[in-house]
Every structure is written in C-alpha cells, then in structure tokens.
Amino acid sequence: MKAEKSVMMLLSNPATHDVRPLKEALALAKRGFKVMILSWDRERNSPRLSLSGNLLIHRLNLRAPYGQNIRTFIGLLLFYAWCTITSFLYKFQVIHCHDADMFLCGVILKIARLGRVKLIYDMHDHPIAFLDRFPMHDFIVKTILSMAKKYGDSIIVVNEGFVDYLSKIGFPREKITVIMNVPPKAIRGNFRVSNKNQDKFIIFYYGDISAQRGVDKLIEAVTGLEGVELFLAGRGDLVPLLKNLENRYKNIKYLGWISISEIDSLIKKVNLIPSLYMPDNINHILATPGKLFMAMAHGIPVLVPEGSYQAVIVKKYECGIVVDMNDTVKVREAVSKLASSPDLCKKLGENGIKAINELFNWQIMEKRLIRTYNSFIF
C-alpha cells in the first residue's frame, strides 16, 4: 500500500455492522484514499481479509465477549499487540482510531513511528461508555482525554454538544470536527401516520434493552395502552422481563435480535421511534444515536428524554416529543397524544425530513471528513 493518501483505521469490532466507520472508510476510498481497517472479529464469523477497491479490511479472528470484563480486557491487549505487529506490514500517513478503546492503540502506533503519522481520534462516545465499570474509571478517562489533547492531531465528534464539552476542558476548537452519524438526504417520508383509519399506533424500539436506556420506563408507560403496540428488538438484561410481559399483554411484542435490513423494513411501517439514553452520565447526556436521525429521515416522530442533547435537537427542529422518562405517567400521556393526533405526527415528520435535507445528512458530513483530511496532510 503506497504511503500517499493512505489511512489505517482501528476498530474493535468486525467492521460488518458498525455503520459509521464503514461510511467514513468508503467516503475516503471514493476520494482516492487507500484505506485499511484493522478490526477485531470476536465471534470469528467474518473472513480474515476483505478487499473492495481502495478499501481493505484485515481482521483478527480472536474470540472474546463484548462488555467490560477481564476476558474482554485480555483480548483487547492481544488485539493491540496484533495491530502493532500488523501495522508494520503497511505504509500509511494517518491513523484513524474509532473510540477510546482504539485511541490508546493509535497512540502506541504513533509513538512507534516517532510521531511521523497523523492521529485522528473519532469519538463516537465519551470514554466513560467503555470504562464505567472499571476501578478508578474517572482517573482513566482523564488520562485518555489528556493524551487526546497531546497526541491527537484531529478530534472527530458526533455533535456540537461534544464540541462545547471538550473546549471547556482545554481542547482547541480548531482541532475538533463534527461528523454526525446521519443518513443521506431523505428521499420521501413515511406519512402512514396521517392515515386516520389506521388500526394501531406502532412504537418501535431497537437497540440495548436495558434500564440504562429507559426501556423499563417505556414498557411500563405503554403496557395495556389501547390502540398502541410496542415492538422491541435487540439484546439486554431486560429481555427475560420483556418475554414475561409479552405473554401477559397483547400490545407488547419482542422481536429478538434482527438484522439491519429487517430494521430498515420495519421502520417504514411504524409511527414513533424512541431514542432513549437516560441522561444519568455524561455520555448519555451528549449522545445523538443514529436512530434519531434515521427516524427523522423517514418522517417519523421521535421520543427522547429531557435533559439530553437529543432533546435540544428535537425541540429546536420540532421533530418529536421530549419527556421526562422517569415520569411514566407523562410518557403515557405523550404517547396517547401522538396516537390520537395524526396531523401532529405528520407535521413533526415533515419537520424531521426538512432538518435532514438541510442540515443533518451524510452528504454534508462526507465533505467535512474530506476537508479534515486535506487540511493537515494533503
């Protein structure tokens, strides 16, 4: 691989389902960059090498669980060692690290090359998301952020909330670029919600089925609510409870773990998408999940928790409803209001599409990504 316009990305998953890194890699490859992703296939289900045009994915097939436990930590150290050794097989000018667990590996590679390569820290989540169960996690987070200030040539974040947060703790704003995890411009909306003869108002939640995401509050709020059905897909510690409730209440349906294509198909048929991160830590407060923008692109109202950066977006662009997720009575009232107001749902959906087409689309973010690369190396 030639050194000219060459990028090495580091990713702690198999690079098969994590949409954001793949979109960035493909955008760079399309512009003539040679991109190689070193990735960790923990389930050993993917080929060791995948090549498509300018994009090469080189995987370590090493079995290990996800989460914060000793087996994962040992596996991560082995992955670091593999990345360090494998990196010497290639020439590259930029190390692009996805999230905190890979940033430390990127620092090692930069030091190993005597600082002759640029280092990008792509902060999908606040570092606490990976460390909250570790002893001394506050100290480790401060260390990571301090190293990011010292070694990071560019910091990519997912929204302006992260920019404000990082600038307050000493990061130069000129080193920070906002690249949001957003879809392409919306082609058409889902205005099924405007059909007043519709039998059911369908809510679709997908992702981590846990109390941290407020799923227990959502279930409590809509259980037995007439005319409303709640579909849930994903994994998490609340699945046993969910299966029990599914047997007792007709309007609760658990779909299990479903594919991205199945999610995309189901989204087009629903009326409301909750994007729930309970704002009980800095990562949940700042997060703007991809499902928020996916719902907006399809013209579907979103339900988000008060006190989050998501709430700032939803209020500003009037594309959904903001509610205190700890107050299940208010959540129930909010859902009932939307279920009985198809015209309101249509208006919120139209506002979401407008915001996507004007501000929150991948065409805009792709230009920012290329501009960031060109600004400091090419």
Side-chain angles (χ1 to χ4, degrees), residues 208-377:
D208 183 14
I209 300 179
S210 69
Q212 277 194 322
R213 299 296 171 86
V215 176
D216 55 336
K217 306 293 185 183
L218 177 65
I219 294 171
E220 182 182 347
V222 304
T223 295
L225 191 58
E226 187 175 352
V228 174
E229 289 189 348
L230 173 61
F231 292 1
L232 302 102
R235 298 170 180 156
D237 53 17
L238 291 181
V239 168
L241 170 65
L242 180 55
K243 289 181 176 179
N244 181 47
L245 290 173
E246 182 184 27
N247 293 329
R248 293 166 53 195
Y249 298 97
K250 293 182 179 180
N251 71 328
I252 306 294
K253 300 183 185 299
Y254 176 55
L255 306 177
W257 180 263
I258 63 177
S259 67
I260 293 176
S261 61
E262 289 173 307
I263 290 173
D264 290 342
S265 177
L266 190 53
I267 281 176
K268 299 172 184 177
K269 303 174 183 178
V270 306
N271 306 95
L272 177 66
I273 292 183
S275 183
L276 305 178
Y277 276 67
M278 296 297 282
D280 52 9
N281 67 50
I282 187 62
N283 186 58
H284 288 180
I285 291 170
L286 294 176
T288 44
K291 70 182 73 175
L292 167 68
F293 301 108
M294 186 62 70
M296 292 167 64
H298 282 283
I300 304 170
V302 289
L303 175 70
V304 302
E306 184 67 80
S308 65
Y309 192 76
Q310 292 189 88
V312 174
I313 293 175
V314 170
K315 288 178 180 178
K316 183 173 182 179
Y317 299 101
E318 298 181 346
C319 56
I321 194 160
V322 178
V323 67
D324 179 359
M325 287 302 300
N326 288 307
D327 190 335
T328 54
V329 173
K330 288 186 177 179
V331 176
R332 192 177 183 92
E333 290 174 352
V335 171
S336 296
K337 179 180 178 180
L338 288 176
S340 61
S341 307
D343 291 338
L344 173 60
C345 288
K346 181 177 180 179
K347 180 60 177 176
L348 296 174
E350 289 172 339
N351 291 343
I353 289 175
K354 185 174 185 290
I356 290 291
N357 285 339
E358 294 180 357
L359 297 167
F360 305 125
N361 60 75
W362 185 246
Q363 287 87 339
I364 292 174
M365 303 305 152
E366 184 175 314
K367 290 177 182 177
R368 291 182 186 175
L369 177 68
I370 301 304
R371 188 163 60 243
T372 296
Y373 268 81
N374 288 338
S375 68
F376 62 75
I377 52 171

Side-chain angles (χ1 to χ4, degrees), residues 1-71:
M1 187 176 284
K2 296 180 180 180
E4 183 181 2
K5 297 184 72 171
S6 298
V7 181
M8 175 174 286
M9 288 189 172
L10 304 179
L11 187 62
S12 62
N13 62 55
T16 55
H17 60 275
D18 195 349
V19 175
R20 178 186 175 91
L22 291 174
K23 285 196 296 188
E24 292 179 341
L26 290 170
L28 290 166
K30 184 174 66 176
R31 299 298 183 95
F33 289 78
K34 301 290 185 180
V35 183
M36 185 184 68
I37 302 177
L38 297 187
S39 68
W40 182 9
D41 178 14
R42 309 184 196 202
E43 297 178 347
R44 304 180 67 182
N45 290 331
S46 302
R48 192 172 66 87
L49 292 172
S50 300
L51 177 63
S52 178
N54 284 337
L55 174 59
L56 171 67
I57 303 175
H58 194 165
R59 298 181 178 91
L60 173 65
N61 301 113
L62 175 66
R63 193 174 298 281
Y66 286 91
Q68 300 177 36
N69 55 67
I70 189 63
R71 286 181 59 202

Side-chain angles (χ1 to χ4, degrees), residues 40-306:
W40 182 9
D41 178 14
R42 309 184 196 202
E43 297 178 347
R44 304 180 67 182
N45 290 331
S46 302
R48 192 172 66 87
L49 292 172
S50 300
L51 177 63
S52 178
N54 284 337
L55 174 59
L56 171 67
I57 303 175
H58 194 165
R59 298 181 178 91
L60 173 65
N61 301 113
L62 175 66
R63 193 174 298 281
Y66 286 91
Q68 300 177 36
N69 55 67
I70 189 63
R71 286 181 59 202
T72 302
F73 181 68
I74 292 172
L76 185 64
L77 293 179
L78 293 173
F79 183 53
Y80 275 25
W82 179 82
C83 286
T84 303
I85 295 169
T86 304
S87 69
F88 285 101
L89 301 175
Y90 302 93
K91 293 181 179 180
F92 53 91
Q93 291 178 301
V94 183
I95 308 168
H96 189 137
C97 310
H98 291 278
D99 265 324
D101 53 351
M102 289 293 94
F103 171 68
L104 295 177
C105 185
V107 171
I108 293 171
L109 298 189
K110 181 171 182 174
I111 292 173
R113 280 164 175 72
L114 305 177
R116 293 171 184 162
V117 294
K118 299 293 184 179
L119 178 61
I120 295 177
Y121 176 13
D122 201 329
M123 192 182 295
H124 305 191
D125 291 290
H126 189 281
I128 195 64
F130 302 88
L131 298 162
D132 60 336
R133 297 180 185 176
F134 275 75
M136 300 176 63
H137 55 261
D138 288 337
F139 171 77
I140 299 173
V141 167
K142 288 180 181 178
T143 301
I144 291 173
L145 293 175
S146 178
M147 293 176 69
K149 279 187 274 189
K150 180 177 181 180
Y151 293 104
D153 295 288
S154 179
I155 312 297
I156 294 176
V157 296
V158 296
N159 58 51
E160 292 292 342
F162 269 98
V163 176
D164 292 339
Y165 169 80
L166 292 176
S167 63
K168 288 177 182 177
I169 59 174
F171 281 78
R173 280 183 175 264
E174 60 270 18
K175 289 178 63 173
I176 307 172
T177 302
V178 175
I179 299 179
M180 309 178 90
N181 187 19
V182 292
K185 288 184 178 181
I187 298 174
R188 63 183 179 85
N190 169 21
F191 294 128
R192 180 174 179 269
V193 292
S194 66
N195 182 359
K196 297 181 181 180
N197 296 318
Q198 183 178 320
D199 293 331
K200 297 291 184 180
F201 184 86
I202 301 174
I203 305 170
F204 178 38
Y205 173 87
Y206 60 98
D208 183 14
I209 300 179
S210 69
Q212 277 194 322
R213 299 296 171 86
V215 176
D216 55 336
K217 306 293 185 183
L218 177 65
I219 294 171
E220 182 182 347
V222 304
T223 295
L225 191 58
E226 187 175 352
V228 174
E229 289 189 348
L230 173 61
F231 292 1
L232 302 102
R235 298 170 180 156
D237 53 17
L238 291 181
V239 168
L241 170 65
L242 180 55
K243 289 181 176 179
N244 181 47
L245 290 173
E246 182 184 27
N247 293 329
R248 293 166 53 195
Y249 298 97
K250 293 182 179 180
N251 71 328
I252 306 294
K253 300 183 185 299
Y254 176 55
L255 306 177
W257 180 263
I258 63 177
S259 67
I260 293 176
S261 61
E262 289 173 307
I263 290 173
D264 290 342
S265 177
L266 190 53
I267 281 176
K268 299 172 184 177
K269 303 174 183 178
V270 306
N271 306 95
L272 177 66
I273 292 183
S275 183
L276 305 178
Y277 276 67
M278 296 297 282
D280 52 9
N281 67 50
I282 187 62
N283 186 58
H284 288 180
I285 291 170
L286 294 176
T288 44
K291 70 182 73 175
L292 167 68
F293 301 108
M294 186 62 70
M296 292 167 64
H298 282 283
I300 304 170
V302 289
L303 175 70
V304 302
E306 184 67 80

